[in-house]
Amino acid sequence: MTVEERQARVAAALAAKGNGGAAGGGNGAPTRFAGQDHTHRLLAMVPPDGIQQIRSKQEDKVYVWPHLIASEFIALLAMTLLITVLSVLPAFPLRELANPNITPNPSKAPWYFLGLQELLRYFHPMIAGVTIPGIVGLLGLMMIPYLDRNPSVRPDNRRTAITLMTFFLLGAGMMTLVGSFFRGPGFNWVWPWVDGLFFEL
C-alpha cells in the first residue's frame, strides 16, 4: 500500500466518523474501502515517537584483552626499565670474600627481616621467631575474613579491617626502622646522628 492510499483511507475513516457512521450504513458497521478484501476498524493512530522503547541499562565493561593486558604489559615494561637502570647506572661493588673466622659487628639480617631480629631483643627466640610470626601472623591473616565480614568497599564501613592493618603496618614498620638505624655494634641501641649509621642494604 502506498502512502497516498494510506492517507486516503485515513481521510475517509475520519470523514465517516464525523458523519456519524453514515459511510458505514449508519449501523456502526466497519467501513469497506475500494480494493480492500477484509474490513478493518480504525481504532487509533499513534506516532512512532510516542511508543516508549524499554531497553536494558548498559553497564560499563572492560575486557581483559586488550584493555587489562595492555595496561599490565606497559607496567611490566616500565618496571623492567627501572630495574635495568638501577642495575646499570649506580655502582654497587662487591664486598670482599667472607671470612668464617671473623663475624661482622653488628651482624644484621636483611632489612626485611630486621623487624623479627628486633623482636629477639625483647622475647625468647621461640616466641619471637616462631610464635609471633607463625601462629599470630598466619592465624591472624586467616581470621581477618571471619572478623570483618562487611562486603562494603567504602573506608567508612571497613573500620575493623583498617584498624587491624594500621596496627600491623605501624608495628612492623617501627620494628624495622629501629633494627635498621638504631642498632649498632653488639646490636645495642645507638643514635645514628651521634654514633653513626650501621646499616647496609
Side-chain angles (χ1 to χ4, degrees):
M1 181 185 299
T2 62
V3 178
E4 291 77 6
E5 293 177 352
R6 186 180 296 108
Q7 292 178 353
R9 290 190 178 186
V10 172
L14 294 177
K17 183 178 180 181
N19 295 331
N27 54 1
T31 304
R32 183 184 297 273
F33 300 99
Q36 183 179 5
D37 297 334
H38 303 282
T39 58
H40 300 279
R41 187 180 298 275
L42 184 62
L43 298 179
M45 293 186 62
V46 180
D49 297 338
I51 301 176
Q52 184 179 4
Q53 298 181 357
I54 301 177
R55 298 179 180 178
S56 60
K57 184 179 180 181
Q58 184 178 3
E59 299 179 356
D60 295 336
K61 296 182 179 180
V62 177
Y63 294 98
V64 175
W65 172 260
H67 301 87
L68 180 60
I69 299 299
S71 301
E72 292 182 349
F73 184 70
I74 293 175
L76 174 64
L77 293 180
M79 185 59 63
T80 304
L81 179 62
L82 177 62
I83 294 176
T84 303
V85 171
L86 293 178
S87 302
V88 174
L89 294 183
F92 295 117
L94 296 177
R95 302 181 63 180
E96 63 277 1
L97 294 177
N99 188 351
N101 297 321
I102 300 177
T103 301
N105 189 17
S107 180
K108 291 186 177 182
W111 67 268
Y112 42 84
F113 283 141
L114 283 178
L116 296 177
Q117 189 174 0
E118 181 66 22
L119 288 177
L120 292 173
R121 297 288 299 179
Y122 310 104
F123 302 100
H124 188 272
M126 183 63 185
I127 298 177
V130 178
T131 305
I132 294 179
I135 299 178
V136 177
L138 293 179
L139 289 181
L141 291 176
M142 290 187 294
M143 289 297 295
I144 286 178
Y146 299 97
L147 296 176
D148 183 26
R149 303 175 63 89
N150 193 343
S152 176
V153 296
R154 295 175 57 87
D156 296 339
N157 300 332
R158 305 301 301 274
R159 296 180 180 179
T160 302
I162 293 177
T163 302
L164 292 176
M165 193 63 184
T166 301
F167 277 108
F168 171 75
L169 292 178
L170 288 177
M174 184 64 65
M175 290 294 179
T176 303
L177 289 177
V178 170
S180 300
F181 303 107
F182 294 91
R183 293 296 179 182
F187 213 72
N188 296 317
W189 185 273
V190 295
W191 298 105
W193 52 85
V194 176
D195 303 313
L197 186 63
F198 299 91
F199 175 72
E200 295 179 357
L201 289 175

